[in-house]
Amino acid sequence: VRGLRVSLSLLLVVLVAPGRSVGAVPTVGTPKEPASSSSAPDEPAPPTTGERALAAGAVVVPGALVHGAGHFVTGESKTARRLLLAEGVGLGMILGGGSVLALTGASRYLAGPAAGLAVGGFGLFLGSFAADAYGVLSPDADAAGRRRRTAAGAESELGYLALSGPHVDEPGYVLQRVSLRAGSFRVTPSALFSTRGTSARYRVEGAYRFLGATPSASGHGTSDHLDVVVGAFHHREPADYVARSSMELQLDTRYDLGHVGPTLRGAFFDFSIGYAAAHIDYDVNGVAVPGDFDSALLGRFGFGAILRGAAYRGSEASLYYDHRHDDLVGGFVMRGLGSGAAGRFGFDARWYFTPNVGVSLHGEVGSAWLGGASLLFREEGPAASTMRGTR
Amino acid sequence: MKLGRSLAVGVLSLIACVRPTEERAERDLEIGRASASGLAVRVSGGLAAVRGLSADRLTLWSSAPGWDLELTSDEPRALTVELQNVMRSAELVVLEPAGVSITPLGGDIVTQKRYGVALQAGVTRLRLAAPGAEIDGPFTFALMSDVQEAIGAVQDLFQRMNQEPNVEFLLGCGDLTEQGSVEELERYQRELRSLELPYYTTLGNHELGANPPLYQDYFGRASFHFRHRGVAFTLLDSASATLDPLVDGWVDEWLTAARDSVHVVGMHIPPLDPVGVRNGAFASRSEAASLLARFAASHVDLTVYGHIHSYYSFDNAGIPALISGGGGALPERFDAVGRHFMVLDVDARRGVTGKRIVRVDTPY
């Protein structure tokens, strides 16, 4: 009966947003949430298994439309309202970007910014839904949220990527990557070599961190960061007679969802936006072929969580959308009218099983499927030395 | 988190199909073939869609200026062959056997012709061709794409095209309709009755709203190749922002066949969008560049595209490229183009010798 009452009153609660719990049983007038996620809250007992199950259902119905519904059921009304607000802002951005595209016929002057706005809106929309699910289903958000953050001074990655798709000529790549940090600066050279030895992709990134953890600073207990990234890559595919070189500039951010509510500690939202200018070279035997200039909107959003348990700090998993169409996996193709316009979807997980050694898993779907695994090795910076013994 | 990830991957697995074009490519192989009532039909290259077949009547929608028709009958019969979407000067003639008689019966409109054919039992081969079509020489064709929701105003374009002297056919790069429904496809063919030119076209992404897509039932193959006066034309199905591997194989054959000819290649979604951040292009930049490299290696002379509702003239892989999406669908603003079609002059010996844009109304 209680569950039915909660379900029936849910939409009303969302609309009137009274700011009191409906699913849990805190004393009326007693705030269930702390004023801020970083303060030490007087937190009530966590929801029972039954309440959590009911909330999980509410995440889907009506939560698919009314984001935060799961948190309303567990009594986290402030968090719920914030997720609902994020959904609204996301929808507004989708509507705004989509309207510009529709009303201007994707004008050459406005299509890039409008598409970027829409991508960001989709990120907020999907992210607020995922956050609702995370907050309801994660039983130990607080434990994850209290993990210390740092940035490794040096990290290397060696892995293998497998590709499958109708236009895949090179089904396997070896991945090598090194990331070096000094203070707020980072440089990351990487390379992909096809196992057949005919295709290669070289990339280098330089970044400056305006906000967030560095090897010498732990990032004030959150996973927030704000980086400006300058990148370049050269990708040659001799079997296809082509090579692509690209210069990129983007803003890369991470927002710790612990700011939104205590149940979301340990979760984060990634967003990056930027622009790439590229040149395509054609290497056709016996034919002099002029190259082509190309440009690309760089946009990426993801929702992720810090791994707990036996995982050491820096372990995390995320689901993401990446708008770029010029990687090993291109944009998303599908039946129907909209094939190709969207970018690709993927997941990325990294698990450090010692302070220095870990593994990562990657997966993507777009114009092809990609799956891969890597070995990670890192050397942490001075900030980590103060955290020895903690995960 | 693990549950969420599993769910997301599962959902993506269900909806993601990295080969969405397979069904259409395989359907292409069936176009121009049919059998009923003891009569089998086969059109060379699949260059005409069989719109109707009974014991005494065959209706074909032509996708190209000329092709061969093979009829296999299990008994002698009088057959009325109705040809739709054909050139004004085209004629249907008998190749073999010599004793088959064929009688012109006229047509209701200039792009329609009917013939009475007295079939013998066995195989009869006929040919549709315009006089002089096999002789290399100059000619003119029009180019128009992306009508979609503006079907109600398409007569403005057709009437203007009818005033153009010397244009032999209209080439299209897709998006005839908004969704590709039966009603829309039939409406388009009704509107075409006032156009005094045949319309040879591929499909666009807006023909993919029906499941399965119905376009090929009405307009024929999505990917095909034909020649006219020594110039090769290849139209490809890029409506899903990729080419099917099966089509890729045909492309190799057609590029090889036309390597020493003037060659015009058309498709709906261009491999590369001249405004890259817009992404009105192939899903994979890698696939796009690879395809253009093959075009360049095979000396393609001109590439024509639709999808973007404006006019662009640029080069891709050194090959002149035109985007002409002026059929009336939601126009690109601030481009000073508006509804339009192109008129292109080609010569089998000299290549593309002229192009001009014909504006039909005030640009935005």
Side-chain angles (χ1 to χ4, degrees), chain A residues 33 37 78-83 86 131 255-264:
Chain A
E33 297 174 13
S37 61
K78 184 187 287 183
T79 304
R81 283 198 301 275
R82 288 174 173 174
L83 293 176
Y255 182 69
D256 190 323
L257 290 172
H259 296 303
V260 178
T263 56
L264 302 183

Side-chain angles (χ1 to χ4, degrees), chain A residues 101-112 115 134 137 164-167 169 235 237 240-242 244 275-276 280 282 284 287 289-297 303-305 307 317-319 323 325-327 330-341 345-349 365-369, chain B residues 1 3-5 8-9 12-13 15-20 23 178-179 205-211 239-245 248 259 269 272-279 281-290 292-294 296-299 309-312 315-318 330-335 337:
Chain A
L101 290 172
L103 293 174
T104 68
S107 163
R108 65 198 76 183
Y109 307 111
L110 298 171
Y134 170 89
L137 297 174
S164 174
H167 294 281
D169 296 325
H235 186 178
E237 296 184 79
D240 287 333
Y241 318 111
V242 296
R244 183 181 180 96
Y275 175 82
I280 302 166
Y282 301 95
V284 180
V287 184
V289 181
D292 288 322
F293 286 98
D294 193 15
S295 60
L297 171 69
F303 175 87
L307 301 182
S318 64
L319 293 165
H323 195 62
H325 291 56
D326 61 355
D327 222 325
F332 196 74
V333 294
M334 58 186 177
R335 297 172 189 275
L337 281 67
S339 184
F345 298 87
F347 77 89
D348 193 35
V365 60
S367 61
W369 291 94
Chain B
M1 185 59 212
L3 176 63
R5 191 176 69 194
V9 171
L12 284 175
S13 301
I15 62 173
C17 169
V18 294
R19 194 181 170 188
E23 188 180 345
E178 187 65 11
Q179 294 286 329
N205 59 310
H206 276 273
E207 272 69 68
L208 304 182
N211 188 20
S240 294
T242 181
L243 293 190
D244 189 81
D248 248 340
R259 187 177 175 86
I269 296 182
L272 296 175
D273 185 339
V275 182
V277 296
R278 181 169 51 195
N279 268 332
F282 273 28
S284 165
R285 295 290 192 276
S286 174
E287 182 192 347
S290 171
L292 290 172
R294 289 157 64 199
S298 299
H299 310 291
H309 303 164
S310 184
Y311 168 71
Y312 291 80
D315 284 355
N316 45 197
L330 182 65
E332 181 181 333
R333 305 285 172 169
F334 319 124
D335 62 351
V337 177

Side-chain angles (χ1 to χ4, degrees), chain A:
Chain A
V1 175
R2 185 176 170 216
L4 183 61
R5 176 175 61 81
V6 170
S7 301
L8 291 174
S9 61
L10 197 55
L11 279 173
L12 253 183
V13 170
V14 168
L15 291 174
V16 300
R20 56 184 291 261
S21 76
V22 292
V25 284
T27 305
V28 173
T30 301
K32 187 174 171 59
E33 297 174 13
S36 99
S37 61
S38 59
S39 63
D42 295 328
E43 294 184 9
T48 64
T49 303
E51 289 167 344
R52 204 179 283 281
L54 182 65
V59 167
V60 181
V61 181
L65 294 176
V66 185
H67 296 182
H71 278 77
F72 267 111
V73 172
T74 57
E76 303 284 346
S77 52
K78 184 187 287 183
T79 304
R81 283 198 301 275
R82 288 174 173 174
L83 293 176
L84 188 59
L85 177 64
E87 180 194 15
V89 172
L91 286 173
M93 291 169 68
I94 294 170
L95 192 63
S99 297
V100 170
L101 290 172
L103 293 174
T104 68
S107 163
R108 65 198 76 183
Y109 307 111
L110 298 171
L117 187 66
V119 168
F122 273 114
L124 272 179
F125 181 81
L126 295 177
S128 56
F129 174 78
D132 192 27
Y134 170 89
V136 165
L137 297 174
S138 172
D140 60 348
D142 189 48
R146 291 182 195 281
R147 291 197 159 210
R148 306 296 296 271
R149 280 86 169 180
T150 183
E155 185 182 65
S156 65
E157 180 175 5
L158 177 64
Y160 179 80
L161 301 177
L163 273 170
S164 174
H167 294 281
V168 171
D169 296 325
E170 305 282 355
Y173 283 84
V174 172
L175 163 66
Q176 293 174 287
R177 184 180 64 83
V178 177
S179 187
L180 302 170
R181 290 181 182 275
S184 296
F185 290 94
R186 170 175 65 84
V187 61
T188 306
S190 63
L192 291 164
F193 299 104
S194 71
T195 51
R196 292 180 181 173
T198 60
S199 176
R201 186 181 181 96
Y202 304 93
R203 179 176 176 82
V204 63
E205 267 185 19
Y208 183 81
R209 175 154 289 181
F210 286 94
L211 174 72
T214 67
S216 54
S218 63
H220 304 291
T222 76
S223 58
D224 294 340
H225 74 230
L226 172 64
D227 294 356
V228 171
V229 182
V230 178
F233 77 75
H234 175 73
H235 186 178
R236 56 182 172 81
E237 296 184 79
D240 287 333
Y241 318 111
V242 296
R244 183 181 180 96
S245 304
S246 178
M247 290 288 295
E248 303 163 5
L249 176 66
Q250 59 183 321
L251 196 64
D252 179 51
T253 66
R254 171 169 290 187
Y255 182 69
D256 190 323
L257 290 172
H259 296 303
V260 178
T263 56
L264 302 183
R265 287 177 189 151
F268 53 83
F269 179 72
D270 287 337
F271 180 70
S272 63
I273 191 88
Y275 175 82
H279 189 264
I280 302 166
D281 292 296
Y282 301 95
D283 183 16
V284 180
N285 288 337
V287 184
V289 181
D292 288 322
F293 286 98
D294 193 15
S295 60
L297 171 69
L298 306 178
R300 178 182 169 116
F301 63 81
F303 175 87
I306 293 167
L307 301 182
R308 329 47 169 112
Y312 280 78
R313 57 180 164 269
S315 301
E316 61 187 42
S318 64
L319 293 165
Y320 64 84
Y321 166 83
D322 194 326
H323 195 62
R324 70 184 311 155
H325 291 56
D326 61 355
D327 222 325
L328 293 182
V329 173
F332 196 74
V333 294
M334 58 186 177
R335 297 172 189 275
L337 281 67
S339 184
R344 63 192 196 271
F345 298 87
F347 77 89
D348 193 35
R350 49 180 47 222
W351 176 47
Y352 273 96
F353 50 86
T354 79
N356 302 109
V357 182
V359 294
S360 68
L361 296 174
H362 323 278
E364 286 186 350
V365 60
S367 61
W369 291 94
L370 179 147
S374 301
L375 278 173
L376 304 171
F377 182 83
R378 70 179 174 188
E379 181 181 5
E380 295 188 287
S385 65
T386 64
M387 305 176 198
R388 292 296 179 198
T390 67
R391 287 177 185 265

